[in-house]
């Protein structure tokens, strides 16, 4: 199997599979709100996902992290799992799935900015241009909604998604500072576990008395997003990281919102307005440029 991961065609096949599954999962996350509250769904998804991740860690004999790493794993779990998906799922009550995926995957822009501040990474003019281009794209998407007199809830939902993207970017920087020496698969499993505990607590406080409608569809949504979109996709992705070049590492951030917008249009009938299309092009171009690193 290790030999296969070194083959370019196999890498790109897996990248395409993972990004399609991640893009499609946005549709399920949106539709799941018909059956349960947003925090309850996140808790069920990540209980399932964390259990599957821990099983994978055990099967692959990845081991347990040292005790000294546990506080840092808790911080990453709160930033990357708890905050991101509490905000995202709540915001999905008000805004389209495709637009939500687009706004969340502005994350590399915020990662770059935070890395420049906290990791002292130098940012080239090209990368600064990418950050600026992406932010202009965000302003176009949100500004068009504000000018078209969208409800206040839509604007607040968009701001929550962007805040989630910033939190995700912060978790990446914190990981680089405190956990980069640990195996990536181990980090993801345990941060997901700790993040799930926080989500479950929020769910119990905010939605503890609300019913969950169990149907074949709602069970499918929980299992797909928990086992496939979370545990399976992240496992495959971490196994690929050791073999991917810069373009390969950038592609998932570019493709997920593309598939999210496509599936939102195809399956949920979401409208692709001119502002969303133009803003998408600018954001994705900005993400691409912001992740280019010149070789010295």
């Amino acid at each position: 199997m290790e030999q296969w991961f070194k083959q370019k065609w196999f890498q790109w096949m897996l990248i395409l599979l993972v990004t399609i599954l991640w893009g499609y999962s946005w549709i399920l996350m949106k539709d799941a709100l018909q059956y349960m509250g947003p925090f309850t769904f996140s808790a069920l998804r990540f209980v399932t996902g964390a259990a599957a991740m821990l099983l994978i860690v055990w099967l692959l004999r990845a081991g347990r992290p040292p005790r000294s790493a546990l506080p840092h794993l808790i911080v990453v779990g709160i930033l990357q799992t708890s905050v991101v998906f509490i905000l995202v799922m709540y915001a999905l009550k008000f805004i389209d799935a495709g637009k939500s995926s687009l706004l969340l995957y502005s994350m590399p822009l915020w990662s770059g900015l935070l890395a420049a501040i906290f990791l002292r990474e130098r940012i080239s003019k090209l990368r600064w241009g990418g950050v600026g281009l992406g932010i202009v794209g965000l302003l176009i998407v949100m500004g068009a909604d504000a000018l078209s007199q969208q409800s206040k809830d839509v604007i607040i939902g968009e701001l929550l998604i962007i805040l989630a993207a910033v939190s995700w970017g912060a978790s990446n920087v914190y990981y680089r500072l405190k956990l980069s020496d640990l195996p990536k698969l181990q980090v993801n499993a345990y941060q997901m576990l700790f993040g799930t505990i926080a989500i479950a607590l929020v769910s119990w406080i905010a939605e503890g008395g609300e019913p969950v409608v169990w149907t074949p569809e709602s069970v499918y949504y929980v299992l797909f997003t928990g086992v496939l979109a979370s545990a399976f996709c992240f496992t495959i992705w971490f196994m690929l990281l050791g073999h991917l070049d810069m373009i390969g590492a950038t592609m998932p951030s570019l493709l997920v919102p593309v598939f999210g917008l496509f599936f939102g249009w195809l399956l949920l009938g979401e409208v692709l307005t001119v502002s969303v299309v133009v803003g998408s092009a600018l954001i994705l171009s900005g993400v691409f440029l912001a992740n280019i690193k010149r070789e010295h």
Side-chain angles (χ1 to χ4, degrees):
M1 179 62 75
E2 183 67 21
Q3 289 297 114
W4 284 29
F5 276 87
K6 295 179 181 179
Q7 301 296 319
K8 287 293 182 184
W9 67 269
F10 190 65
Q11 292 175 12
W12 285 102
M13 184 184 73
L14 290 178
I15 287 171
L16 185 62
L17 174 63
V18 167
T19 50
I20 288 174
L21 292 177
W22 276 340
Y24 175 60
S25 69
W26 282 89
I27 309 308
L28 306 188
M29 289 158 58
K30 176 74 172 180
D31 217 29
L33 297 177
Q34 300 180 60
Y35 303 97
M36 63 195 79
F39 307 139
T40 300
F41 174 76
S42 289
L44 291 170
R45 169 189 178 175
F46 284 105
V47 163
T48 306
M53 279 298 308
L54 291 172
L55 177 61
I56 291 168
V57 166
W58 178 72
L59 290 173
L60 296 179
R61 299 180 180 179
R64 289 182 294 181
R67 287 188 178 182
S68 59
L70 294 182
H72 304 308
L73 287 166
I74 292 171
V75 172
V76 171
I78 290 173
L79 290 173
Q80 182 172 320
T81 296
S82 305
V83 173
V84 170
F85 286 95
I86 285 171
L87 295 179
V88 163
M89 287 305 302
Y90 186 76
L92 278 171
K93 294 173 63 175
F94 311 113
I95 60 179
D96 291 346
K99 187 187 294 183
S100 299
S101 68
L102 172 69
L103 295 176
L104 184 65
Y105 279 85
S106 67
M107 171 273 294
L109 304 177
W110 312 114
S111 291
L113 288 174
L114 292 171
I117 296 171
F118 295 103
L119 300 180
R120 305 297 182 186
E121 288 189 357
R122 295 182 61 184
I123 301 183
S124 67
K125 292 181 180 179
L126 182 65
R127 298 184 77 188
W128 273 120
V131 171
L133 202 62
I135 291 175
V136 169
L138 291 173
L139 292 175
I140 287 175
V141 172
M142 296 185 62
D145 284 341
L147 292 174
S148 63
Q149 298 181 336
Q150 286 277 9
S151 71
K152 183 173 67 175
D153 288 340
V154 171
I155 305 300
I156 292 174
E158 292 173 348
L159 289 172
L160 289 177
I161 296 283
I162 293 175
L163 183 59
V166 174
S167 181
W168 189 1
S171 76
N172 293 338
V173 173
Y174 193 87
Y175 164 80
R176 289 272 303 278
L177 284 170
K178 302 295 185 179
L179 295 168
S180 58
D181 292 336
L182 292 183
K184 293 182 177 66
L185 197 61
Q186 191 182 87
V187 169
N188 189 62
Y190 283 89
Q191 71 81 17
M192 190 182 294
L193 172 64
F194 293 127
T196 299
I197 294 171
I199 292 176
L201 181 61
V202 171
S203 171
W204 178 69
I205 293 172
E207 300 172 348
E210 296 183 15
V212 175
V213 180
W214 289 112
T215 67
E217 289 80 10
S218 61
V219 172
Y220 168 68
Y221 295 164
V222 170
L223 291 179
F224 186 99
T225 56
V227 176
L228 285 180
S230 298
F232 172 77
C233 285
F234 277 113
T235 300
I236 294 299
W237 182 243
F238 287 135
M239 292 176 75
L240 281 168
L241 280 178
H243 304 286
L244 291 172
D245 56 18
M246 187 280 298
I247 297 298
T250 305
M251 284 303 291
S253 292
L254 296 173
L255 288 176
V256 173
V258 172
F259 285 121
L261 288 166
F262 171 73
F263 285 125
W265 167 78
L266 180 67
L267 301 177
L268 299 181
E270 296 176 353
V271 178
L272 294 178
T273 62
V274 173
S275 63
V276 168
V277 173
V278 173
S280 299
L282 291 175
I283 292 169
L284 298 179
S285 299
V287 166
F288 180 78
L289 292 177
N291 279 272
I292 290 178
K293 294 182 180 179
R294 293 180 181 274
E295 298 293 335
H296 297 286

